[in-house]
Amino acid sequence: DVAKRSFIRWTDDAADHAEPLAKSLRDNWLKLRPLAGRFALILSVVKQLLHHPEGKAMQPIDESSMQAGIELAWWFGREFERNYAGDEQAELREHLQWMLQNHPSGLDARTLVAGRRNIKTADDARIVMQKLAEQGCGRIDGSQFIQTPTTD
């Protein structure tokens, strides 16, 4: 049926969309996949009850309800991404502030892991250092991140 095919296509599209995202964001995106069907079920039942208030005409989820459920899930996914981008920037600023206070001449990934509880691995630390470098907050010199001096 058309609604079922739309749901299957949605789950595939959402998985493809989520694959390149950061792990925490990807995990949230993947949790949305079944929610599209749940949204569609709620919308379908409400629509049917409006047309048949006695509740005798319960039919499978129709295509328009499925499409509306999928649109809602996409909206929530975009909101996750929008909020995550802001959270990521705030987290990077916190890391940079800590680095400037505790290691003003620079540091390597192991030092960053040791000093920041929410950075679990050296690879994660290198990603943080690379993002900060891309934003002009410093530069990578070998294995060291050297902060750009600030003037206050």
Side-chain angles (χ1 to χ4, degrees):
D1 120 283
V2 177
K4 183 178 179 181
R5 286 192 303 273
S6 293
F7 181 75
I8 292 169
R9 188 172 48 254
W10 147 254
T11 59
D12 293 342
D13 291 348
D16 291 344
H17 181 84
E19 188 171 337
L21 301 175
K23 183 181 180 341
S24 61
L25 184 56
R26 181 176 56 243
D27 291 347
N28 282 325
W29 252 104
L30 294 177
K31 290 175 187 173
L32 284 175
R33 293 187 308 171
L35 288 180
R38 291 179 184 131
F39 291 147
L41 176 62
I42 292 166
L43 294 167
S44 179
V45 168
V46 168
K47 186 175 12 173
Q48 290 179 51
L49 287 173
L50 287 172
H51 290 81
H52 303 282
E54 70 282 357
K56 294 181 181 175
M58 291 293 120
Q59 300 295 317
I61 297 172
D62 62 306
E63 173 62 12
S64 65
S65 296
M66 182 57 71
Q67 286 304 320
I70 289 169
E71 286 177 34
L72 271 171
W74 275 115
W75 181 85
F76 277 104
R78 288 188 296 273
E79 286 299 297
F80 281 146
E81 289 181 30
R82 186 178 64 79
N83 290 319
Y84 180 84
D87 290 347
E88 183 182 40
Q89 289 304 312
E91 189 173 324
L92 284 172
R93 282 191 302 275
E94 288 175 15
H95 292 317
L96 180 61
Q97 188 64 34
W98 178 87
M99 293 160 71
L100 290 168
Q101 288 175 350
N102 297 288
H103 300 278
S105 60
L107 75 166
D108 64 4
R110 288 184 315 168
T111 306
L112 190 53
V113 170
R116 303 295 289 170
R117 279 187 229 158
N118 57 342
I119 299 177
K120 303 295 184 201
T121 67
D123 285 340
D124 292 342
R126 283 188 278 279
I127 290 169
V128 167
M129 292 170 14
Q130 184 61 41
K131 286 180 180 180
L132 288 169
E134 288 169 0
Q135 293 179 7
C137 300
R139 61 184 167 77
I140 306 289
D141 186 4
S143 64
Q144 296 281 313
F145 176 78
I146 312 299
Q147 295 91 300
T148 301
T150 59
T151 55
D152 291 327

